[in-house]
Each structure stands twice: as structure tokens, then as C-alpha cells.
Amino acid sequence: MDDNNGWQVKDYDTPPPPRQLHTSVCPHHSMMIFGGFGEGSQFLNDMWFLDPQNFTWRQQVITKNIEPRHSHAAVLYKNRIYVYGGVCSAGTLGDLCYFDIEGGKAWTTIKNGRR
């Protein structure tokens, strides 16, 4: 038995910046991460896709973004990534937004809200 309990460590190209408190969903045989809390107390709102077959990362181009955040919820439903709430530099968020992964380049806000 190996020392990793069945896990394999793989090398890949340039990864996203380090982060915590982000979300991840798995659309179309890939893994997507969004937002989180980065180094230097930075709130993030970037989106990255990992191709697990080739171990390559791709940053999504976004023309209209939502507020940087961490500790939010995310779900994938019918080719849309929905994000709710989280924490931003100004406090707790209560917005609901979606991003269409089939060619979308902008977030759509369904409901604004801040507490």
C-alpha cells in the first residue's frame, strides 16, 4: 500500500492563486473553483476550471463579475453555476447570482441583498 492511502499526487501547469473558503462544482468532466479568501487578506471573485484528464487549469474570462467573496454557497444546475451569499469586505452578502457555463462571460444577479 502506498503512503497516500490511494491518493496520487499529480503535477499540473500554472494553478490558480492559493485560497481558502472558496466553492467548487463539477461541470462537464471538469472541476470549477470560484472566489474564496486569498493570501494577504484578499477577497477573490475569479473562476478557474481544471481539466482532470490533462491536469491543466484555465481561468474563465468574465466581463461582468460579482463582488469578491468567501464562505458562499454554490451549486451547478442545468449549465448554470448559482452562488448565494458569502462574506465580502463590507460584510455579509445575501445576493443570488448565476453564471452560464455554456459560453457565458458575465454573471447575472437574480436578487441583491446585503446584511
Side-chain angles (χ1 to χ4, degrees):
M1 183 175 279
D2 60 35
D3 291 336
N4 294 324
N5 295 320
W7 288 87
Q8 294 181 0
V9 177
K10 297 283 188 180
D11 290 324
Y12 48 83
D13 65 345
T14 306
R19 67 194 63 221
Q20 59 184 327
L21 304 170
H22 55 284
T23 52
S24 177
V25 296
C26 295
H28 305 302
H29 309 291
S30 66
M31 181 180 80
M32 182 282 305
I33 63 171
F34 172 75
F37 198 62
E39 294 180 328
S41 300
Q42 180 183 14
F43 291 84
L44 303 171
N45 63 351
D46 55 345
M47 184 183 297
W48 292 78
F49 287 87
L50 172 67
D51 177 343
Q53 298 295 320
N54 301 316
F55 293 98
T56 54
W57 284 100
R58 173 183 60 83
Q59 184 172 12
Q60 177 68 44
V61 173
I62 300 174
T63 58
K64 179 184 172 198
N65 215 333
I66 57 177
E67 195 157 4
R69 66 194 62 212
H70 68 75
S71 303
H72 50 283
V75 65
L76 175 67
Y77 181 70
K78 293 187 177 181
N79 295 320
R80 288 181 176 175
I81 299 165
Y82 290 86
V83 167
Y84 176 77
V87 177
C88 69
S89 60
T92 303
L93 295 165
D95 56 348
L96 177 61
C97 310
Y98 72 84
F99 187 89
D100 186 343
I101 61 170
E102 294 294 323
K105 299 233 186 280
W107 282 95
T108 299
T109 300
I110 299 170
K111 173 140 178 69
N112 270 324
R114 181 176 303 203
R115 295 196 164 95

